[in-house]
Amino acid sequence: MAELSQNRGKRRDGEVLGGAVDFLLANARLVLGVGGAAVLGIATLAVKRLIDRATSSRDEDDVKGDATCLEDSWKELSLLKATPHLQPRPPPAALSQPTPLPAPSPSTPAGPAGADAPGAPRLSSPAPPCLTFQEKLLAFEQDHVTIPVAHVALAKQLAGDVALELQAYLRSKFPALPFGAVVPGGPLFDGLQAGAADPVRLLVPLALEPGLWSLVLGTDTVARDPRCWAVRRTQLEFRPRGSSPWDRFLVGGYLSSRVLLELLRKALTASVNWPAIGSLLGCLIRPRVASEELLLEVQHERLELTVAVLLAVTGAQAGDRLLLAWPLEGLAGNLWLQDLYPAEAARLRALDAGDTGTRRRLLLLLCGVCRGHSVLWRLGRSHLTQVVLRLGEEEADWAEEALGERFLQALELLIGSLEQASLPCHFNPCVNLLDGLREEEVEDLGYALYCGLQAPEGLLWGGVGHERW
């Protein structure tokens, strides 16, 4: 008896819920239309089924109904997909414009108006041409790597003007320190500028006295760093300490690059009147205070430029090497970093001149691709230069037609180097350029390059941005 009254109560509840559903759907059809009412009906039916399951006891019919629940759900999903969607209205401006009629084909005879030729095939718009990877690579070079000649000339002019102003300031601020002529250089002046992110180099050479200084290889110092050299003060018994203006920067008998860096950093950030110099040159100049390097940001109305001020020991006193005061860490903090960029650029230029090759173009392409990638940006110019130098001396065909193949070979070589965690410097094999990367960074680089090798077009157009002038 109790079960019978319970079933009657459920039936009464179902009738009330069904009436509510019917009322809701009837009014929804007026407001939402047929398509919206269908969607609302499906959702309401699903809610009703959940309420029925929660309030009903599991008898034999319910167990059988659960077996077909998944099938009903797929039917409702198919009904939802089949519901017609309302097409958006065109904007008023589009309605007021006449729709152009397609011009008749000259090979098809004109027929009566409104009559279609029986069996005449419809002409579809031509499919876009399928470009090869070589063609896509050249298009990327043209759009994202090649810098207009006018911008290069303007950048060189700005760099030369800033160099002259900096030289005049150093001679007036530090008259006792014999600085040499400030010389602009770097990729911009070697045809290897890959974009605005490549800094223009202003070399500030130190005029060291002959016979008072000697070089010590970094591996022979406590730092054991093959990248660096120490500049040691000599002849102290004949020329005591204090007889050279550079003796005030000695640390433990060696000329400290760190002390000189701090001196010049304070001067560039606090003493130089950059607003006045910028107004004189027609641009805005600001030192980048947060950087460990000595960087200047030059903003012109036509381009932006980054200038790196580099203290250097050059000439015969450096054994024809270029030693830079670089912000090194640990025991190498007072040493001087040997810069191999001039030798690498000269070697690439000589190789290209021998066979009218495209090695430098390949380097610019690799720099442009990696700089705009969310992972590959960790591969700097020095890493990519070693790869191009190695390929440049191994491969014989460096015509433009082989540029795409050489690009893929460079990716393969980089992957192999990352697998071995070894990328030796071309002019100093004792230096492994991958030592500065963590293990997880090496794995991320290898994975990104492997994916790029499978679909190289994604490397060209899938980066986060490619900045150029």
Side-chain angles (χ1 to χ4, degrees), residues 104-313:
S105 175
S107 60
T108 303
D116 295 334
R122 291 188 176 181
L123 297 179
S124 60
S125 60
C130 183
L131 300 179
T132 64
F133 176 69
Q134 170 79 8
E135 294 170 335
K136 294 178 181 179
L137 191 64
L138 295 179
F140 175 83
E141 179 185 33
Q142 181 65 30
D143 295 339
H144 297 281
V145 176
T146 304
I147 302 175
V149 178
H151 288 186
V152 174
L154 177 59
K156 288 182 178 180
Q157 179 184 350
L158 289 174
D161 293 341
V162 173
L164 292 177
E165 295 294 334
L166 180 60
Q167 178 176 315
Y169 166 78
L170 292 176
R171 289 179 177 177
S172 62
K173 179 68 174 178
F174 308 104
L177 297 179
F179 288 107
V182 180
V183 181
L188 176 66
F189 293 83
D190 296 322
L192 294 174
Q193 187 79 15
D198 272 346
V200 178
R201 299 150 59 101
L202 297 185
L203 292 182
V204 183
L206 279 60
L208 300 180
E209 300 87 350
L212 295 186
W213 309 91
S214 64
L215 297 182
V216 179
L217 188 61
T219 54
D220 296 334
T221 64
V222 293
R224 303 296 180 185
D225 195 332
R227 305 171 301 164
C228 305
W229 292 79
V231 181
R232 181 172 58 186
R233 175 71 155 84
T234 60
Q235 303 292 332
L236 289 174
E237 60 274 13
F238 303 105
R239 300 284 299 274
R241 186 167 181 170
S243 57
S244 170
W246 302 109
D247 286 344
R248 53 185 286 200
F249 305 105
L250 293 179
V251 174
Y254 294 89
L255 184 62
S256 173
S257 61
R258 177 180 293 171
V259 178
L260 279 166
L261 268 178
E262 290 303 318
L263 174 72
L264 192 56
R265 184 191 307 278
K266 292 179 181 178
L268 294 181
T269 56
S271 300
V272 182
N273 190 356
W274 292 117
I277 295 176
S279 62
L280 180 65
L281 301 181
C283 59
L284 179 64
I285 305 176
R286 294 178 299 183
R288 190 179 297 178
V289 182
S291 175
E292 294 184 355
E293 306 173 39
L294 302 181
L295 299 179
L296 303 175
E297 296 178 351
V298 180
Q299 295 181 354
H300 190 268
E301 61 180 3
R302 295 172 56 188
L303 56 82
E304 294 183 0
L305 190 66
T306 302
V307 177
V309 181
L310 303 172
L311 289 168
V313 176

Side-chain angles (χ1 to χ4, degrees), residues 27-90:
N27 288 275
R29 183 173 302 177
L30 295 176
V31 178
L32 302 177
V34 178
V39 175
L40 183 60
I42 293 172
T44 310
L45 195 59
V47 173
K48 177 179 177 298
R49 181 171 299 171
L50 291 176
I51 296 175
D52 290 343
R53 290 178 188 171
T55 57
S56 61
S57 60
R58 295 189 57 87
D59 53 12
E60 185 177 354
D61 294 336
D62 291 337
V63 174
K64 292 181 181 180
D66 289 343
T68 59
C69 177
L70 186 58
E71 181 180 358
D72 294 340
S73 299
W74 281 108
K75 290 181 180 179
E76 293 167 3
L77 182 60
S78 64
L79 178 60
L80 179 61
K81 291 183 178 179
T83 302
H85 296 279
L86 298 178
Q87 298 294 331
R89 289 187 175 182

Side-chain angles (χ1 to χ4, degrees), residues 1 52 115 117 143 160 215 275 279 329 344 346 353 360 415 428:
M1 192 67 177
D52 290 343
D143 295 339
L215 297 182
S279 62
E329 298 179 355
E344 295 168 350
R360 289 179 293 176
I415 293 174
N428 190 358

Side-chain angles (χ1 to χ4, degrees), residues 352-369:
D352 277 349
D355 56 6
T356 318
T358 56
R359 296 168 183 84
R360 289 179 293 176
R361 289 176 62 183
L362 175 61
L363 176 59
L364 290 177
L365 283 168
L366 291 172
C367 289
V369 167

